[in-house]
Amino acid sequence: MKSVLNQKDTATLQVNGKTAEFPIFGATHGPDVVDIRSLYKQTGAFTFDPGFTSTASCESKITYIDGDEGVLLYRGYPIDQLAESSNFIEVAYLLLNGELPSKEDKAKFDRSITMHTMVHEQLKHFYNGFRRDAHPMAIMVGVVGALSAFYHDSTDINDPVQRLVASHRMIAKMPTIAAMAYKYSTGQAFVFPRNDLDYTSNFMRMCFAVQAEEYEVNPVLSSALDKIFILHMDHEQNASTSTVRLAGSSGANPFACIAAGIASLWGPAHGGANEAALNMLEEIGSVDRIPEFIKRAKDKNDPFRLMGFGHRVYKNYDPRAKVMRAACHEVLDALDVKDEPLLKVAMELERIALEDPYFVEKRLYPNIDFYSGITLRALGFPTDMFTVLFALARTVGWIAQWSEMIEDPNQKIGRPRQIYTGAPERNYVPINQR
Ligand code: SDX
């Protein structure tokens, strides 16, 4: 990545009786940044920003979010345009390379991904070590972390050719590994990928085909799932992407970094929210119980939160949620599931929450996870597979961000500092004197 940090102004700070000056860099879109790398050297103080609410961890050209306006751009292209007009392979190419591909480049990239979809036969033995009722995300963390034991020829992160091979292997094998995790949980045999199917259709077939009969992918459903994958591909420096970057900053191999990202995404406050949101809708069960849950969500003494609502960055409607909502109706119509009770609960919950002063004042809107659960369940996936599908799609963003981090001339090992408020220095006291 070519760094383009242009100083547009200077910031002055008074700390501990010292005056310090810092360059201010301008952005293409969004907030400027104050470069505080010399803060400690100039003032002897650190910044304090738990959760990094006002801290840019890196320079990036991949994704931009305007949380107030509800805008999401992948390499400058609005997410709704890409979801409507593009497809998984083309958007993956865009995120990795920075530009939309020519026909030839797209075909070449597509072929390369297709030719890496199979996994080493011995990888199958990892699944047998898990209980059949293991959560598929636990299996994903384990199996993806083990990939570095199989692909030694693409773990040298300083070799751009090995980084490219590892990137294509990771993107290509995630659907196969995810489908195997699902099949393992059902007790059905694994289904091999097929080279004549597109990325998303291949994944659906590996999940839902059985050896006893051929499986015809419904193009309306695979197109909807392809759109859902596009929505989930990248999202600036979210928790799991920051995990991948931090793991990668030590020089860890890409497979281990992606496994770390999967582990972080699993959390219910992050990628696990789609599973939690559907479980919540099922717990609510009917429209007349919504007020009870709205009350709980507002109660400071109750840890319950409306899953699928709120976001660190979006203080407006998540643009992905709008596309997700449309895809949800598209899938339910295609499957002739008109009276899906959970959809009625979701739409009424959304209506009530968007009018409730608590949610309006705190700018809590539905996020991508609010409608995805209903859609994925209608497509035939069990609830515990929802975050696996999120991880499958986000692998493209994780790989793009990991590559950008490796190539960033300003990048160094991530090593945050702290404010220490523990016990002052003191001497050891022998036990018979305590
Ligand atoms: C994803 O970062 C990303 O980009 C993530 C993601 C991606 O693509 O990578 O977009 C994917 O993770 C989407 C978010 C999915 N998570 C959920 O839907 C879980 C429910 N949402 C919350 O846990 C919460 O909104 C977060 C974690 C998403 C954001 O939390 P923040 O930014 O730390 O905000 P906060 O917790 O400080 O909330 C601000 C206020 C608080 O009240 P006060 O302390 O100010 O009085 O809003 C309240 C919160 O209590 N609040 C909620 C709420 N979310 C926030 N109250 C009820 N229900 C909620 N869902």
Side-chain angles (χ1 to χ4, degrees):
M1 174 186 88
K2 186 176 176 310
S3 174
V4 283
L5 294 173
N6 298 314
Q7 182 168 351
K8 62 181 280 190
D9 201 343
T10 302
T12 304
L13 192 62
Q14 307 279 343
V15 180
N16 298 336
K18 297 187 178 89
T19 302
E21 293 200 338
F22 307 95
I24 297 175
F25 297 130
T28 310
H29 292 310
D32 297 338
V33 292
V34 179
D35 178 354
I36 56 157
R37 283 177 285 186
S38 65
L39 173 71
Y40 179 56
K41 192 174 170 190
Q42 288 192 62
T43 68
F46 295 142
T47 59
F48 182 63
D49 185 12
F52 311 114
T53 54
S54 302
T55 296
S57 62
C58 62
E59 175 187 358
S60 182
K61 304 172 189 294
I62 299 173
T63 294
Y64 171 70
I65 302 169
D66 182 330
D68 292 327
E69 297 303 318
V71 169
L72 169 58
L73 307 177
Y74 283 171
R75 298 286 189 179
Y77 296 99
I79 189 67
D80 52 331
Q81 292 182 25
L82 292 171
E84 285 312 311
S85 311
S86 189
N87 60 43
F88 180 94
I89 281 295
E90 184 173 80
V91 177
Y93 181 98
L94 172 68
L95 286 172
L96 292 176
N97 298 288
E99 298 297 337
L100 289 168
S102 64
K103 268 189 188 167
E104 297 72 28
D105 286 342
K106 182 180 175 182
K108 194 171 152 220
F109 177 69
D110 195 2
R111 184 73 186 152
S112 173
I113 297 298
T114 298
M115 298 315 288
H116 283 92
T117 49
M118 291 177 72
V119 293
H120 193 292
E121 275 297 289
Q122 281 181 235
L123 205 73
K124 295 181 177 180
H125 300 311
F126 280 92
Y127 291 80
N128 294 329
F130 292 99
R131 287 173 34 162
R132 289 281 180 177
D133 62 353
H135 195 292
M137 281 298 278
I139 297 177
M140 294 299 289
V141 172
V143 174
V144 171
L147 288 177
S148 52
F150 288 80
Y151 299 111
H152 297 290
D153 61 339
S154 64
T155 51
D156 175 1
I157 61 143
N158 298 308
D159 177 348
V161 172
Q162 290 197 32
R163 290 206 302 272
L164 186 76
V165 170
S167 300
H168 287 199
R169 276 176 167 157
M170 200 66 259
I171 292 169
K173 295 180 194 310
M174 278 300 271
T176 310
I177 290 168
M180 288 167 75
Y182 172 58
K183 280 303 195 188
Y184 185 73
S185 72
T186 65
Q188 292 178 354
F190 298 141
V191 175
F192 278 97
R194 271 208 355 218
N195 293 350
D196 61 331
L197 293 176
D198 66 72
Y199 189 88
T200 302
S201 300
N202 210 358
F203 172 65
M204 290 185 79
R205 183 179 170 278
M206 286 190 281
C207 288
F208 300 126
V210 288
Q211 276 72 355
E213 60 185 36
E214 198 31 69
Y215 174 82
E216 283 305 313
V217 178
N218 178 329
V220 172
L221 302 186
S222 65
S223 165
L225 185 57
D226 200 83
K227 193 181 290 185
I228 292 166
F229 284 160
I230 290 172
L231 297 177
H232 285 83
M233 271 184 179
D234 194 52
H235 214 238
E236 288 191 359
Q237 305 311 317
N238 57 85
S240 55
T241 298
S242 299
T243 301
V244 171
R245 277 180 171 260
L246 194 57
S249 71
S250 72
N253 73 74
F255 305 107
C257 295
I258 298 301
I262 295 171
S264 171
L265 185 75
W266 194 3
H270 188 15
N274 53 19
E275 177 176 355
L278 191 87
N279 290 336
M280 176 191 73
L281 291 173
E282 287 189 322
E283 188 187 355
I284 294 173
S286 62
V287 166
D288 58 352
R289 290 196 65 204
I290 289 175
E292 170 196 335
F293 284 83
I294 294 272
K295 185 166 176 288
R296 284 187 58 195
K298 297 194 271 189
D299 177 357
K300 282 284 158 252
N301 300 315
D302 187 333
F304 173 79
R305 287 193 169 178
L306 280 188
M307 302 316 281
F309 270 80
H311 199 278
R312 171 60 58 76
V313 177
Y314 289 123
K315 302 309 173 189
N316 197 322
Y317 209 103
D318 181 336
R320 303 168 300 174
K322 284 181 185 159
V323 181
M324 193 72 246
R325 196 171 190 263
C328 185
H329 285 287
E330 198 177 291
V331 166
L332 295 181
D333 290 348
L335 293 169
D336 198 21
V337 182
K338 298 290 183 207
D339 57 352
E340 160 61 74
L342 290 187
L343 181 63
K344 287 193 176 66
V345 173
M347 292 180 71
E348 181 59 7
L349 178 59
E350 178 188 25
R351 186 191 66 76
I352 295 172
L354 294 183
E355 290 170 1
D356 185 298
Y358 174 91
F359 292 90
V360 172
E361 281 152 27
K362 293 182 185 298
R363 303 178 74 186
L364 300 174
Y365 290 86
N367 59 49
I368 188 165
D369 296 305
F370 187 60
Y371 282 101
S372 58
I374 300 172
T375 315
L376 296 177
R377 194 176 72 155
L379 287 171
F381 296 102
T383 310
D384 63 7
M385 275 294 289
F386 293 176
T387 311
V388 173
L389 271 63
F390 195 150
L392 186 162
R394 186 53 58 89
T395 294
V396 177
W398 288 333
I399 286 289
Q401 298 271 353
W402 169 79
S403 304
E404 185 177 67
M405 180 271 301
I406 299 279
E407 295 158 9
D408 182 347
N410 291 313
Q411 181 53 44
K412 51 192 355 177
I413 187 165
R415 205 280 185 218
R417 303 305 300 269
Q418 62 173 21
I419 177 170
Y420 176 71
T421 57
E425 185 173 359
R426 51 186 169 168
N427 295 318
Y428 179 77
V429 178
I431 193 163
N432 57 14
Q433 293 175 30
R434 289 177 211 155

